[in-house]
Amino acid sequence: QVQLVESGGGLVQAGGSLRLSCAASGSFFSVENMGWYRQAPGKQRDLVARIISGGATNYADSVKGRFTISRDNAKNTVYLQMNSLKPEDTAVYVCNAEVRFRDLISTFRYWGQGTQVTVSS
């Protein structure tokens, strides 16, 4: 069983910062790609940022220059540093991780439970 545990959400004023964390635990060989998605009420879930095992990253255009994704492979943890937050960043942020199992062949993508980020104007 694999679990993703998120933390770091909350309420912040526009222009403020938050840092999200997501730690993967369980029985697997390695964590491959990791990312953050967000879903606002009545909207679809969209990719915010993604980081592959080698460290390459990509971001949604709406967060480029404001958000930074990083990872600690030793801790199987991904972070999302969010600066210059805007009210339109308000959403449930959900962690995603693709793990490789001990057979070194099988992979599966898991989702966290989500953490609320609310940015007030």
Side-chain angles (χ1 to χ4, degrees):
Q1 186 73 335
V2 176
Q3 287 188 319
L4 301 181
V5 178
E6 300 145 330
S7 61
L11 172 64
V12 65
Q13 288 188 334
S17 298
L18 284 174
R19 188 191 193 212
L20 306 182
S21 300
C22 172
S25 63
S27 180
F28 52 85
F29 177 77
S30 64
V31 182
E32 305 294 320
N33 304 324
M34 304 186 82
W36 289 94
Y37 290 71
R38 67 186 180 187
Q39 186 166 17
K43 295 188 177 181
Q44 67 180 19
R45 181 176 292 183
D46 292 324
L47 175 69
V48 176
R50 180 169 51 203
I51 184 168
I52 66 173
S53 57
T57 60
N58 65 287
Y59 297 89
D61 288 343
S62 60
V63 306
K64 283 180 180 177
R66 300 188 298 122
F67 291 10
T68 302
I69 190 169
S70 60
R71 63 189 289 170
D72 184 333
N73 290 330
K75 296 181 179 179
N76 293 319
T77 298
V78 63
Y79 306 96
L80 186 68
Q81 178 66 44
M82 304 185 293
N83 299 328
S84 302
L85 282 160
K86 305 175 181 180
E88 51 264 42
D89 294 318
T90 295
V92 175
Y93 284 69
V94 186
C95 173
N96 176 265
E98 179 182 17
V99 303
R100 185 174 301 278
F101 294 103
R102 297 183 189 280
D103 63 3
L104 303 184
I105 298 173
S106 306
T107 62
F108 194 82
R109 294 179 71 186
Y110 290 88
W111 294 91
Q113 79 283 1
T115 185
Q116 178 69 45
V117 171
T118 302
V119 185
S120 63
S121 57

